[in-house]
Amino acid sequence: MRIGIVAPSTPILPDDAEAVRVLASLGYPDVELVFDPQCFAVHGHFAGEDGHRFAALVEMANRPDVDAVWFARGGYGACRIAEEAVAAMTDAARGKAFLGYSDQGNLLAALYRDGFDHVAHGPMVADIRRDGGDAAVLRALDWLVARDPAACEPGLEHGARHAAFNLMTLSMLLGTPLEPDLAGHVLIVEEVSEYLYAFDRALFHVANYLGPRGLAGLRLGRVSDIPENDRPFGLEAEDIAREWCARTGIPWLGRADIGHDAANKVVPFGLHRAG
Amino acid sequence: MRIGIVAPSTPILPDDAEAVRVLASLGYPDVELVFDPQCFAVHGHFAGEDGHRFAALVEMANRPDVDAVWFARGGYGACRIAEEAVAAMTDAARGKAFLGYSDQGNLLAALYRDGFDHVAHGPMVADIRRDGGDAAVLRALDWLVARDPAACEPGLEHGARHAAFNLMTLSMLLGTPLEPDLAGHVLIVEEVSEYLYAFDRALFHVANYLGPRGLAGLRLGRVSDIPENDRPFGLEAEDIAREWCARTGIPWLGRADIGHDAANKVVPFGLHRAG
């Protein structure tokens, strides 16, 4: 099996790629990781210019000798190429798994919208840098290689459709050509490095936008690295999520085991079949 | 003439209210400023609980002896009460001017959506704290009291419809019950204290959302206090705006004289009639 790695947003370091390669070779000696050199390109904020990131992503997705596409890292930039990249993907890309989170939610959304069947929110190559990052990387491989149910978020419901996003990333793609139809879905969101007022604002947006479109429910992953504001917001993240669910008629379904951390579990998009 | 002042988001200091009162008494001795005590209330992040801010806003809007409603300050919180507040306003509120910017864009949007005729983006009481803040406050009064054309953004076009927003505030209300119909409008946006990647992301969202809905064009106010990122974004704010206009078919109409600063000019929503 061959897993292709590209960086549609920001670059990774060659040392991190090497560490992940070593880890993969121990756990999955038959799996080959193919890092596109674009993963290490630097152009301002981005892992190469839009055209470079676009070309690397589309080429990897369409390669007949690559079985899955793993996103290297988040950051920012995928929304600049996602619509055109998915439109340029061929049938060769459709059978593959695509795995990532954070800013790669733009691509997960666009792929899922376009009917791709193996799109999942979960760890990326750059998670190797976290405390306990080995476990995150191996969990990603467990899912990419073997669809191991133990890699998946434990609260996924058999027979229910799911999707997972970084909240801000989702907020910023609603109403754009990247937005998938989330009607009937259990939506799981997580957030990192946002003030609680910004978290509240983004949930105001997402809940008011998606509530009338018939979500099956909302679950909240971890909300981490919240900056301290000059005065406390007055509500905690879970209170905020419960409130916006109540105000917009979205069933509140509790917490979820995803987040910007090494414990981040995999959430495959679409219908979940247990066992 | 009596101008009522409320704070639908965060509070102001009594000293700032007093400074504005003194300034107004010199420039407009016949104008009475009525500060609702809610302007000084503190509840966590907010100028009082949602119910308190809601009640003060609705009462001031509906008071028959108040001729205009001036928002005291931005911050965050107006989206939590805007829909219900506008729904609770009576015909007594409809003839009045409403003036503010930043987070108060939520109220400007909801009021304009509901057909209010004198909604404008412009300076607030709290601008008194800025360098040159006296001029900002007097400009606001010039518009509130006399609809002085000199207070208005100089590039407004006779016969064109306009609206102005803080970009992030607008982004977060699209698709919610606060969103006004901006088809055919010249949209003016400004931003403050956002990384350029966040500015790019918000413009991706707004341009992709509103482009297909037929904006007459986009103008860009000031983009100020941009935090330094660990690496430069690679594009300047105006380049970003031009690019998203080009990519989404929105006519780029150049810069505009609004922003989070004392020079911030007034942009009345709707059809502009010069002279």
Side-chain angles (χ1 to χ4, degrees):
Chain A
M1 180 178 184
R2 196 173 281 125
I3 297 173
I5 299 164
V6 291
S9 306
T10 57
I12 55 171
L13 298 173
D15 282 357
D16 292 340
E18 188 53 30
V20 167
R21 200 195 300 274
V22 168
L23 198 61
S25 71
L26 296 171
Y28 287 99
D30 297 336
V31 170
E32 182 188 353
L33 299 187
V34 180
F35 286 89
D36 192 289
Q38 176 270 322
C39 290
F40 316 110
V42 176
H43 179 81
H45 183 92
F46 305 104
E49 292 189 58
D50 287 354
H52 189 187
R53 304 194 319 281
F54 167 87
L57 168 59
V58 171
E59 187 195 339
M60 196 63 88
N62 291 343
R63 265 176 71 164
D65 63 333
V66 161
D67 305 290
V69 177
W70 193 16
F71 298 124
R73 188 181 171 191
Y76 173 73
C79 72
R80 299 178 62 91
I81 61 170
E83 182 184 2
E84 294 82 355
V86 173
M89 290 184 194
T90 64
D91 284 347
R94 293 199 167 258
K96 299 181 187 179
F98 290 80
L99 179 66
Y101 71 109
S102 194
D103 192 53
Q104 303 314 328
N106 287 293
L107 277 162
L108 305 183
L111 290 161
Y112 187 61
R113 173 191 175 110
D114 206 40
F116 281 64
D117 282 333
H118 304 281
V119 174
H121 184 277
M124 298 185 287
V125 171
D127 285 310
I128 193 72
R129 296 181 77 87
R130 300 188 189 278
D131 269 355
D134 287 18
V137 164
L138 289 171
R139 188 181 312 121
L141 292 169
D142 290 345
W143 186 80
L144 283 168
V145 176
R147 301 288 189 281
D148 183 354
C152 291
E153 206 283 331
L156 303 182
E157 283 176 69
H158 176 74
R161 283 176 287 169
H162 298 78
F165 287 97
N166 170 259
L167 177 66
M168 189 64 76
T169 303
L170 175 61
S171 173
M172 290 289 177
L173 64 78
L174 294 179
T176 76
L178 307 185
E179 181 196 341
D181 181 1
L182 296 177
H185 287 63
V186 174
L187 172 64
I188 308 178
V189 295
E190 58 84 40
E191 194 50 276
V192 65
S193 300
E194 295 284 352
Y195 289 105
L196 281 178
Y197 77 81
F199 177 76
D200 190 66
R201 184 170 62 178
L203 260 184
F204 155 78
H205 182 226
V206 167
N208 276 285
Y209 187 100
L210 290 177
R213 287 169 171 83
L215 282 186
L218 182 88
R219 295 175 62 202
L220 181 63
R222 285 175 286 283
V223 180
S224 55
D225 291 340
I226 301 168
E228 284 227 21
N229 209 341
D230 47 358
R231 83 185 108 177
F233 185 69
L235 288 170
E236 297 304 319
E238 183 176 321
D239 301 328
I240 292 169
R242 286 173 178 269
E243 178 180 343
W244 285 115
C245 280
R247 288 180 61 163
T248 59
I250 298 173
W252 162 254
L253 301 177
R255 301 304 298 252
D257 189 11
I258 70 167
H260 267 69
D261 52 46
N264 187 25
K265 301 301 188 297
V266 175
V267 178
F269 280 41
L271 196 64
H272 180 63
R273 296 183 190 283
Chain B
M1 180 179 184
R2 195 174 283 125
I3 297 173
I5 299 164
V6 290
S9 306
T10 58
I12 55 171
L13 298 172
D15 281 358
D16 292 340
E18 187 53 31
V20 166
R21 200 195 300 275
V22 168
L23 199 61
S25 71
L26 296 172
Y28 287 99
D30 297 335
V31 170
E32 182 188 354
L33 300 186
V34 180
F35 287 89
D36 191 290
Q38 177 270 324
C39 289
F40 314 111
V42 176
H43 179 81
H45 183 92
F46 305 104
E49 292 188 59
D50 287 353
H52 188 186
R53 306 196 315 282
F54 166 88
L57 168 58
V58 171
E59 187 195 338
M60 195 65 87
N62 291 343
R63 265 177 70 163
D65 63 332
V66 161
D67 304 289
V69 177
W70 192 18
F71 298 124
R73 187 182 171 192
Y76 172 71
C79 71
R80 298 178 62 91
I81 60 169
E83 182 185 2
E84 294 81 356
V86 173
M89 290 183 194
T90 64
D91 284 348
R94 294 199 166 259
K96 298 180 187 178
F98 289 80
L99 178 67
Y101 70 109
S102 195
D103 192 52
Q104 302 316 328
N106 287 292
L107 277 162
L108 305 183
L111 290 162
Y112 187 61
R113 174 192 175 110
D114 205 40
F116 281 63
D117 282 332
H118 303 281
V119 173
H121 184 277
M124 297 184 288
V125 171
D127 285 310
I128 192 72
R129 295 180 77 88
R130 300 188 188 278
D131 270 355
D134 287 18
V137 164
L138 289 172
R139 188 181 313 120
L141 292 169
D142 290 344
W143 187 79
L144 284 168
V145 176
R147 301 287 189 282
D148 183 354
C152 290
E153 206 283 333
L156 303 182
E157 282 176 68
H158 177 74
R161 283 176 288 169
H162 298 79
F165 287 97
N166 170 260
L167 177 67
M168 189 64 76
T169 303
L170 175 61
S171 173
M172 290 289 177
L173 64 79
L174 295 179
T176 76
L178 307 185
E179 181 196 341
D181 182 0
L182 296 176
H185 287 63
V186 174
L187 173 64
I188 308 178
V189 295
E190 58 84 40
E191 194 50 277
V192 64
S193 300
E194 295 285 352
Y195 288 106
L196 281 177
Y197 77 80
F199 177 76
D200 189 65
R201 184 170 61 178
L203 260 183
F204 156 77
H205 182 225
V206 167
N208 276 283
Y209 187 100
L210 291 177
R213 287 169 170 83
L215 282 186
L218 183 88
R219 296 174 61 202
L220 181 63
R222 285 175 287 283
V223 180
S224 55
D225 291 340
I226 301 167
E228 282 227 22
N229 208 341
D230 48 358
R231 82 186 109 178
F233 186 70
L235 288 169
E236 297 303 320
E238 182 175 322
D239 301 329
I240 292 169
R242 286 174 178 269
E243 179 180 343
W244 285 115
C245 281
R247 287 179 63 164
T248 58
I250 298 172
W252 162 253
L253 301 177
R255 300 306 297 253
D257 189 11
I258 71 167
H260 268 68
D261 52 45
N264 187 25
K265 301 301 190 296
V266 175
V267 178
F269 279 41
L271 197 63
H272 180 63
R273 298 183 189 282

